[in-house]
Amino acid sequence: MATNHHLLLLVHLILVLSIIAIQTFPAYACIEDERDALLTFKAGISDGIQHSLSSWDEGQDCCRWRGVVCDNTTTRNILELNLRNPYQDSDNWTDYALSGEINPSLLALNHLTRLDLSNNNFSGISIPEFIASFNNLTHLNLSYSNFGGKIPHQLGNLSKLRSLDLSWSYFIGTIPPQLGNLSSLQYLSLKLAFNDTSMPNSDNLEWLSQVASLKYLDLEYLNLTNAINWLHIINRLQSIKVLLMKYTSFPSIPNSLPYVNFTRLTTLDLSYQWQFNTTLPSWLWNLTNLSYLNLEYCLFRGKIPDALGNLTSLIYLNLGDNNLEGPLPRSIGQLCNLRSIDLSYLGIGGDIRELVGMLGCKWNDMEEIILSGNNLHGNLSNWLQQMANLKHLDLRNNSLVGSVPHGIGNLQNLNFLDLSSNSLRGVISEAHFANLTKLNDFLLSSNSLIISVGHNWIPPFQLTTLALGSCQVGSQFPAWLRWQRQINEVDLRNTSITGTLPHWLWSLPLKLLDLSYNNITGRLPVYLKSTNIVSLDLKFNNLEGLLPPLPDGLKLLDLSNNFLCGPLPKLLPTSILYLLLSNNLINGSIPSSICELASPEALDLSGNNLSGELPQCWQQGSGLEIINFSNNNITGEIPPSVGSLTSLLSLDLSNNNFYGELPSELQYCKNLVLLDLGNNKFSGDIPIWIGENLLNLRYLQLRSNMFDGNIPPQLAQLTALQVLDLSYNKLLGSIPRSFGNFTGMISSSVRNEKHNGIYLLGAMDLSGNNLSGVIPEEIGALRQLNSLNLSRNHLIGRIPDKIFDILSLEYLDLSSNELSGGIPQSISKLTFLDHLNLSYNNLSEMIPSGNQLDTPNDPSIYKGNAYLCGPPSGKNCSGDQAAPTTTSNYANGSEMIWLYGFWIVCGSLLFRTTWRNTYFQLIDYLFDKIYVAVAITMNKLNKKWR
């Protein structure tokens, strides 16, 4: 009995000790040295506003700390450290990120197999070399964490590493070839890993051939122009399944391979290369396991071969934005697994029904169809409603006609629909939306559609994007939008909306709002500042009142052509990139806060009542590209600090009250394309440095100022110049003979080559000065000149015959000078001439005739020349001799229109077609550049929001 009693006591004791051990084990479960190492690491780290490392406390089991994974066996060693920031998609993700220094105390974790520090912010520090000492590491993820410096070559020592992600970093130098020692590596991502891709990021890719086990390779956005044999090296990777090279710079792409070894490839992305300019490579058609193929925007040319039908495993195919030609091969119908196809901007013609019928064995199973930017015609009836699985349909920029069928309402999976920029007509009613519960993006802009839904209609969907520009939505703002609680973008430009905007509009989660070209009245709300709007476009409306405080995150504001009044806000959001407020009634001075904008690109305050002087605070390093303060009452001198705006493309200060000499600091704005300082009170000499340093100028206008002295011949160094206006100043001396050297006015091919195909009309105006001497015959070399005005000077001598070699001339005014001699007969060659004025000179002899000079017959062209004779002067030449005529090879030119009279008095820019077109084409070019940048910026933001 005693023995049994003792046995029971022993069992009881064991149970008690076991319970105590279980209860106390968590406090001592992890290894003390490893716990201390984590605490030392934490001491050097800032863990963001969420204090993501708050669970790391000395009194707790470190195996239970956030991101710490231990061995479940009795060893309890730390195996994984997963400190990824989960808030990557947040606008303020850095507020949640880890930052600081990475302490080498982590070396105590000598059993570590996984280390993930992704999506944090280590502010450009180098990757610690000691990470290469984790001999058991199999997974290393340092992506999106702002690491810099060079990639440590010691990473090649991690012989067990299977996954390495260094993407989205700020590394310098090149990829270390020691990465080729990672013989176990299966996953490698170097996407956007380098800060500077203008220089090669790799000397060669030979090291890749040593990583035979590689299955996933991402080299997107890298410069591999030195990697001559890149494809041959990748062809050695027999295990490779995923190859991503979007935006990667290559020297070329081989059209063929002696053998194709990487046939296990399932995903291939070579999109956005821009430089291939060759036919589709033949080795592609051997990759029969491909399920994803993206060749968008590679400038491939030629026909799509029948061999495309070999890729029967394809699920996703993108050949968009190439120079491919001819009809699609019938073999495309063999791609029975195809669910997504992008054939945008290939110039494909024909009826859309026939094309869609070719897309696979069961085309009604397609989930994504992108055929935008083609020449497709036909309508949407009898096929669209059958595509029950369709999620994404993009048919914008085609020639589709007819109505949108009601059956579209049966596409229950549809989440993206873009039919914009076609010729669709008819009514869109509530029936069209019957079952579209998943619709997110709805774009119908630039059609002749009528949106007719009830005022109390509640849609079945929650949109993120709505674009109905140029459709008819009714006179009132669409009431149904108040129920769209997820909408980020609204485009209702040119939809005939009238009246005031509803107050609930500003409570929607809008990022982009375009209501331009309507008849909206009223004022902007004072609570506009509390919205999240990033882009607000309300130009060409009837808004009035003061400009309210603006949202802190605003990037684009276009309120031009309204009736806004009062001063500009003293504090502007520093986030603004584009501030466009032209043609309003805004007064007061320009606030100095305009210099505090973080990275502005365009400021247009033209056509207002602004006064005072320009701020003196322009800062070095600004990315500002366009300044337009024209047509105001601004006074004072140009502040020297404007010279710090080295990115400036366009500076327009015309029609103000500026005075003084041009600051020499302006010569540092070497990227200027347009400089317009006309109609001010500038004085002094025209600076020589304009011709020596502003070599990108295409438009230079200094008219109607008080410049004096001689015209500097150095202006002829502006080889890009196409428009020169120095009229109505006090300039002296002769016209420089070097003015025959303006390359941009000589050859259209040179002009297009220099300016990326942007064609502007050439013009030169030196009128209204005190110039003397002869007209230099060198001007006759300017064969692309469209307008030449030398009137109201003191020019002498004969009219150079070579001027009439400028066959493109549409406007020629030599009036009010002291020219003598006869009018050259060769003037009859100018068959494009719309305006001619030779009045008030000392010209003599017979007036030429022939071709367009004969009709209409207007004597005022030659008025004030006492010694001219022959028709239409009304004076007979000696002996009643008829003026000679010639037969010209230019008889097919446009008929001459003799309209002038007031040309000398009125500003030629306002009334003259050639000058007006030249000026506004250039302005459009510059603002197109800005709006392209806006579109790209907004697109990036859209992707982030979605």
Side-chain angles (χ1 to χ4, degrees):
M1 292 292 295
T3 301
N4 291 339
H5 177 71
H6 290 142
L7 183 60
L8 288 173
L9 287 175
L10 180 59
V11 171
H12 179 71
L13 180 61
I14 292 172
L15 289 173
V16 171
L17 292 174
S18 298
I19 292 172
I20 293 174
I22 291 172
Q23 291 176 341
T24 59
F25 180 77
Y28 306 100
C30 67
I31 296 173
E32 185 175 357
D33 288 345
E34 295 185 348
R35 183 174 66 248
D36 292 343
L38 292 181
L39 293 175
T40 303
F41 165 76
K42 178 186 176 182
I45 292 291
S46 172
D47 57 356
I49 60 176
Q50 288 280 25
H51 301 293
S52 57
L53 300 184
S54 60
S55 63
W56 290 28
D57 186 271
E58 292 188 37
Q60 296 183 359
D61 176 11
C62 68
C63 293
R64 296 187 178 184
W65 292 354
R66 184 225 165 207
V68 179
V69 177
C70 295
D71 190 342
N72 287 328
T73 67
T74 55
T75 65
R76 305 298 288 170
N77 289 113
I78 295 176
L79 300 181
E80 299 181 19
L81 200 54
N82 300 320
L83 299 180
R84 178 185 182 89
N85 174 15
Y87 296 97
Q88 178 192 357
D89 294 330
S90 171
D91 288 340
N92 55 340
W93 66 274
T94 55
D95 293 340
Y96 303 91
L98 300 181
S99 58
E101 297 291 332
I102 302 175
N103 197 288
S105 65
L106 291 181
L107 281 173
L109 312 181
N110 52 25
H111 290 81
L112 200 66
T113 60
R114 290 177 178 261
L115 177 60
D116 189 342
L117 297 176
S118 60
N119 302 333
N120 288 296
N121 184 16
F122 291 102
S123 304
I125 67 172
S126 297
I127 296 175
E129 293 180 3
F130 69 78
I131 287 181
S133 300
F134 292 121
N135 296 325
N136 293 306
L137 210 60
T138 60
H139 293 75
L140 177 60
N141 189 349
L142 303 179
S143 64
Y144 289 92
S145 288
N146 291 344
F147 282 107
K150 292 186 175 182
I151 300 176
H153 65 83
Q154 292 88 348
L155 293 182
N157 298 334
L158 300 174
S159 58
K160 296 182 180 179
L161 204 62
R162 297 201 301 271
S163 175
L164 175 61
D165 193 341
L166 302 178
S167 59
W168 293 86
S169 298
Y170 291 92
F171 298 124
I172 60 175
T174 58
I175 304 169
Q178 289 83 356
L179 294 186
N181 298 333
L182 304 177
S183 57
S184 300
L185 201 64
Q186 298 180 12
Y187 179 104
L188 175 61
S189 179
L190 295 171
K191 176 180 180 178
L192 266 171
F194 289 88
N195 184 46
D196 183 7
T197 56
S198 64
M199 301 294 291
N201 302 136
S202 178
D203 295 329
N204 60 69
L205 293 180
E206 288 291 341
W207 57 271
L208 260 179
S209 59
Q210 304 173 46
V211 193
S213 58
L214 204 60
K215 295 181 179 179
Y216 182 105
L217 178 60
D218 189 346
L219 300 177
E220 293 184 357
Y221 296 87
L222 296 188
N223 185 334
L224 300 179
T225 51
N226 282 353
I228 304 298
N229 296 323
W230 68 273
L231 184 60
H232 294 84
I233 293 168
I234 288 174
N235 192 33
R236 300 172 194 166
L237 303 177
Q238 299 185 32
S239 299
I240 192 78
K241 291 187 175 181
V242 176
L243 180 59
L244 305 177
M245 290 186 163
K246 181 178 181 179
Y247 283 106
T248 306
S249 298
F250 295 117
S252 61
I253 184 169
N255 187 265
S256 62
L257 290 169
Y259 62 93
V260 181
N261 204 27
F262 59 123
T263 55
R264 294 186 183 181
L265 205 65
T266 61
T267 298
L268 176 61
D269 191 341
L270 297 176
S271 59
Y272 290 89
Q273 299 299 330
W274 294 306
Q275 81 277 24
F276 283 160
N277 193 25
T278 183
T279 57
L280 290 165
S282 59
W283 50 263
L284 275 174
W285 321 124
N286 294 90
L287 306 179
T288 54
N289 286 309
L290 276 180
S291 60
Y292 180 101
L293 176 60
N294 190 349
L295 302 178
E296 181 182 14
Y297 223 132
C298 289
L299 298 188
F300 284 120
R301 53 182 168 79
K303 294 185 177 181
I304 304 173
D306 287 334
L308 173 65
N310 296 348
L311 308 184
T312 55
S313 298
L314 274 182
I315 296 174
Y316 175 95
L317 173 63
N318 190 342
L319 299 177
D321 287 281
N322 281 286
N323 295 324
L324 300 171
E325 61 188 37
L328 291 176
R330 287 287 173 183
S331 62
I332 199 171
Q334 299 169 208
L335 308 183
C336 299
N337 293 304
L338 204 60
R339 294 296 175 266
S340 174
I341 189 166
D342 186 340
L343 301 175
S344 56
Y345 295 94
L346 294 182
I348 299 172
D351 190 290
I352 189 170
R353 178 178 171 83
E354 294 178 6
L355 175 60
V356 174
M358 294 169 58
L359 301 183
C361 306
K362 298 180 179 179
W363 54 268
N364 54 344
D365 288 338
M366 294 288 290
E367 297 179 1
E368 181 177 53
I369 297 178
I370 302 176
L371 299 172
S372 54
N374 284 294
N375 300 315
L376 295 169
H377 56 79
N379 57 54
L380 305 177
S381 300
N382 301 322
W383 66 270
L384 180 56
Q385 54 267 47
Q386 300 176 30
M387 308 191 76
N389 293 320
L390 199 61
K391 298 179 180 179
H392 185 117
L393 179 63
D394 186 348
L395 301 177
R396 71 183 185 277
N397 291 312
N398 277 286
S399 301
L400 302 177
V401 297
S403 60
V404 178
H406 286 87
I408 197 173
N410 297 324
L411 306 183
Q412 300 181 17
N413 295 309
L414 195 64
N415 59 49
F416 182 99
L417 177 64
D418 190 347
L419 303 176
S420 55
S421 299
N422 279 284
S423 299
L424 298 172
R425 295 182 176 274
V427 177
I428 302 290
S429 66
E430 297 175 18
H432 287 85
F433 305 110
N435 298 305
L436 302 184
T437 58
K438 298 180 180 179
L439 193 62
N440 295 132
D441 300 89
F442 185 52
L443 304 97
L444 297 179
S445 295
S446 300
N447 284 287
S448 298
L449 292 166
I450 301 170
I451 313 300
S452 178
V453 294
H455 184 74
N456 297 319
W457 178 59
I458 300 178
F461 47 71
Q462 286 293 320
L463 297 179
T464 57
T465 303
L466 173 68
L468 300 177
S470 299
C471 294
Q472 297 182 41
V473 300
S475 60
Q476 294 183 337
F477 192 86
W480 59 269
L481 275 175
R482 71 186 306 167
W483 309 112
Q484 300 301 298
R485 295 301 176 184
Q486 299 175 13
I487 197 158
N488 291 146
E489 305 174 44
V490 170
D491 173 8
L492 293 173
R493 67 186 187 279
N494 190 30
T495 51
S496 301
I497 296 175
T498 61
T500 59
L501 295 174
H503 64 86
W504 51 259
L505 170 65
W506 309 105
S507 65
L508 298 178
L510 292 171
K511 300 289 187 180
L512 284 81
L513 177 62
D514 187 348
L515 299 174
S516 57
Y517 298 96
N518 283 293
N519 296 306
I520 298 169
T521 57
R523 299 170 177 248
L524 291 171
V526 293
Y527 46 85
L528 180 64
K529 182 177 177 59
S530 63
T531 67
N532 295 318
I533 291 179
V534 173
S535 175
L536 179 62
D537 190 345
L538 286 163
K539 63 178 175 284
F540 287 93
N541 278 285
N542 297 310
L543 295 170
E544 57 186 8
L546 300 175
L547 189 65
L550 301 171
D552 291 337
L554 192 66
K555 294 185 181 297
L556 181 146
L557 179 66
D558 192 345
L559 299 175
S560 53
N561 294 87
N562 279 282
F563 298 97
L564 299 173
C565 61
L568 291 168
K570 290 185 177 180
L571 294 178
L572 295 168
T574 59
S575 59
I576 284 185
L577 301 178
Y578 314 100
L579 181 63
L580 312 175
L581 300 174
S582 62
N583 299 313
N584 280 283
L585 304 173
I586 299 171
N587 57 25
S589 60
I590 298 175
S592 59
S593 61
I594 206 166
C595 298
E596 299 171 5
L597 303 180
S599 53
E601 295 195 22
L603 301 175
D604 188 351
L605 304 178
S606 61
N608 282 286
N609 297 318
L610 295 169
S611 57
E613 299 186 359
L614 286 183
Q616 306 283 334
C617 52
W618 306 98
Q619 300 175 5
Q620 185 74 33
S622 170
L624 190 57
E625 295 186 349
I626 290 183
I627 291 180
N628 189 349
F629 295 159
S630 64
N631 296 291
N632 281 286
N633 298 309
I634 305 171
T635 188
E637 299 184 1
I638 297 178
S641 60
V642 170
S644 65
L645 302 176
T646 54
S647 297
L648 208 58
L649 297 175
S650 174
L651 176 62
D652 190 346
L653 303 178
S654 60
N655 297 295
N656 279 286
N657 294 309
F658 288 102
Y659 56 78
E661 298 186 357
L662 301 186
S664 61
E665 289 82 359
L666 196 58
Q667 66 183 300
Y668 301 121
C669 300
K670 296 186 177 183
N671 290 307
L672 273 174
V673 174
L674 180 147
L675 178 60
D676 191 343
L677 304 177
N679 291 286
N680 281 286
K681 299 175 182 177
F682 292 112
S683 59
D685 292 342
I686 294 177
I688 293 175
W689 49 257
I690 291 181
E692 293 177 336
N693 293 328
L694 304 185
L695 299 180
N696 289 308
L697 275 180
R698 297 171 60 185
Y699 186 104
L700 175 61
Q701 177 163 258
L702 303 177
R703 68 176 291 127
S704 299
N705 279 285
M706 295 185 290
F707 290 110
D708 54 25
N710 294 332
I711 299 176
Q714 290 85 352
L715 290 183
Q717 296 178 33
L718 302 175
T719 55
L721 199 68
Q722 294 173 240
V723 176
L724 174 64
D725 188 349
L726 306 179
S727 62
Y728 294 93
N729 281 282
K730 299 178 180 180
L731 299 173
L732 304 169
S734 60
I735 300 172
R737 293 189 177 277
S738 60
F739 272 24
N741 297 330
F742 289 116
T743 310
M745 303 181 192
I746 294 175
S747 170
S748 60
S749 60
V750 173
R751 180 185 299 185
N752 292 342
E753 179 182 349
K754 284 181 174 291
H755 312 302
N756 301 319
I758 301 298
Y759 180 85
L760 301 180
L761 299 175
M764 182 185 294
D765 193 341
L766 306 179
S767 62
N769 283 287
N770 294 312
L771 299 175
S772 58
V774 300
I775 299 174
E777 64 178 15
E778 287 82 359
I779 289 180
L782 306 180
R783 302 299 175 86
Q784 296 299 315
L785 204 60
N786 302 97
S787 175
L788 177 62
N789 190 348
L790 304 178
S791 65
R792 298 180 66 84
N793 281 289
H794 302 289
L795 301 173
I796 61 173
R798 301 180 69 90
I799 300 174
D801 190 71
K802 289 189 176 181
I803 282 185
F804 305 114
D805 290 339
I806 310 176
L807 302 180
S808 59
L809 273 180
E810 299 176 21
Y811 183 101
L812 177 62
D813 193 341
L814 303 178
S815 64
S816 299
N817 279 287
E818 300 167 23
L819 300 172
S820 59
I823 303 171
Q825 178 62 42
S826 55
I827 191 174
S828 63
K829 295 191 298 184
L830 303 184
T831 56
F832 291 102
L833 207 59
D834 286 337
H835 172 84
L836 174 67
N837 194 346
L838 301 177
S839 63
Y840 297 100
N841 279 285
N842 296 318
L843 299 173
S844 59
E845 303 178 16
M846 292 179 294
I847 297 174
S849 62
N851 300 318
Q852 78 282 6
L853 292 175
D854 295 335
T855 55
N857 228 347
D858 192 335
S860 60
I861 296 169
Y862 309 106
K863 185 178 180 180
N865 291 280
Y867 302 105
L868 281 177
C869 62
S873 69
K875 298 180 181 179
N876 291 330
C877 293
S878 176
D880 290 334
Q881 180 180 349
T885 61
T886 60
T887 302
S888 171
N889 294 325
Y890 304 93
N892 292 328
S894 61
E895 182 179 357
M896 204 164 189
I897 303 173
W898 304 93
L899 298 174
Y900 52 97
F902 57 87
W903 289 97
I904 295 176
V905 179
C906 298
S908 57
L909 176 62
L910 182 60
F911 295 102
R912 193 184 319 159
T913 302
T914 54
W915 279 64
R916 187 168 63 248
N917 288 348
T918 298
Y919 181 79
F920 288 110
Q921 283 184 53
L922 182 55
I923 293 299
D924 287 344
Y925 159 71
L926 292 170
F927 270 93
D928 282 348
K929 174 182 172 66
I930 291 298
Y931 277 108
V932 167
V934 174
I936 292 173
T937 301
M938 295 301 111
N939 188 47
K940 289 179 180 177
L941 291 171
N942 293 346
K943 290 179 180 178
K944 186 172 185 180
W945 295 328
R946 295 175 191 173

